[in-house]
């Protein structure tokens, strides 16, 4: 009973952290488009969304292992897909923080596509409970992840104007 209650609380925490992480990506896109230059206080709250996703995800995994056997819980292709995408998302987030200002537009688009694709696919897997425990094999989950990243990257390329347009737009008098 207490394990299920912990999972319910951790799930609410995870949803709030997901929203904060989505808002961080939204504000990153606004920065890339030249629509936002400053860093208001509330934006720092959103930037902590990823950290809270790690914490709440670890709580969910721990509680899931507590409620089932260790081997049974880890024998879930959906879990390993989420672990894979979280690791890729962490590497991408690190790369974004380290190089977003000096990176080429193609690299920014790719990093942003990977980041948004990871978050969207991870969110889908989080709510797709019926797909757990062997309904689909791991390669199928990964194929869906790659397709989501590709679609998000294409969307980013279409959404973000080239750098010269951004610079022209931000220097035009209003």
């Amino acid at each position: 009973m207490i394990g299920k209650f912990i999972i319910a609380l951790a799930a609410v925490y995870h949803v709030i952290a997901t929203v904060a992480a989505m808002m961080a990506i939204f504000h990153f896109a606004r920065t890339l488009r030249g629509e936002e230059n400053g860093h208001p206080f509330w934006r720092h709250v959103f930037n902590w969304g990823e950290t809270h996703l790690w914490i709440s995800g670890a709580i969910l995994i721990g509680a899931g292992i507590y409620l089932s056997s260790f081997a049974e819980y880890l024998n879930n292709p959906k879990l390993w897909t989420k672990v894979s995408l979280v690791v890729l998302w962490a590497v991408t987030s690190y790369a974004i923080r380290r190089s977003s200002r000096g990176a080429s537009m193609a690299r920014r688009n790719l990093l942003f596509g990977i980041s948004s694709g990871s978050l969207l696919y991870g969110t889908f897997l989080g709510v797709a409970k019926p797909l757990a425990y062997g309904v689909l094999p791991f390669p199928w989950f990964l194929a869906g992840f790659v397709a989501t990243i590709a679609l998000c990257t294409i969307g980013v390329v279409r959404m973000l104007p080239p750098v010269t347009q951004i610079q022209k737009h931000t220097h035009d008098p209003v």
Side-chain angles (χ1 to χ4, degrees):
M1 175 82 167
I2 189 110
K4 290 184 179 185
F5 182 69
I6 290 171
I7 286 179
L9 288 179
V12 169
Y13 177 31
H14 204 63
V15 167
I16 293 168
T18 300
V19 170
M22 286 180 178
M23 291 304 297
I25 290 176
F26 170 75
H27 287 287
F28 177 63
R30 287 181 48 87
T31 300
L32 288 180
R33 290 173 58 107
E35 297 171 356
E36 185 176 304
N37 293 328
H39 296 283
F41 171 75
W42 49 265
R43 184 163 165 218
H44 294 289
V45 173
F46 295 147
N47 288 341
W48 278 94
E50 185 176 347
T51 302
H52 290 284
L53 276 172
W54 279 89
I55 294 167
S56 59
I59 293 169
L60 286 168
I61 289 172
I65 290 170
Y66 174 76
L67 290 177
S68 64
S69 71
F70 185 74
E72 178 187 350
Y73 193 79
L74 295 182
N75 191 24
N76 182 355
K78 189 177 100 165
L79 170 70
W80 292 109
T81 305
K82 286 185 83 169
V83 168
S84 300
L85 75 85
V86 166
V87 168
L88 180 61
W89 187 29
V91 169
T92 304
S93 294
Y94 178 77
I96 287 171
R97 285 186 200 99
R98 300 282 298 168
S99 68
S100 68
R101 294 284 182 204
S104 68
M105 195 63 168
R107 181 178 171 144
R108 285 186 203 175
N109 288 345
L110 179 61
L111 291 174
F112 186 48
I114 291 170
S115 184
S116 58
S118 296
L119 186 58
L120 288 175
Y121 197 66
T123 301
F124 163 72
L125 290 177
V127 298
K129 299 297 181 201
L131 294 179
Y133 299 105
V135 172
L136 292 175
F138 183 67
W140 284 65
F141 281 117
L142 283 183
F145 181 39
V146 170
T148 304
I149 288 174
L151 290 172
C152 286
T153 302
I154 290 168
V156 167
V157 168
R158 292 179 181 256
M159 182 179 74
L160 296 176
V163 175
T164 56
Q165 288 181 1
I166 291 173
Q167 291 170 346
K168 181 181 177 192
H169 177 70
T170 58
H171 296 313
D172 283 344
V174 177

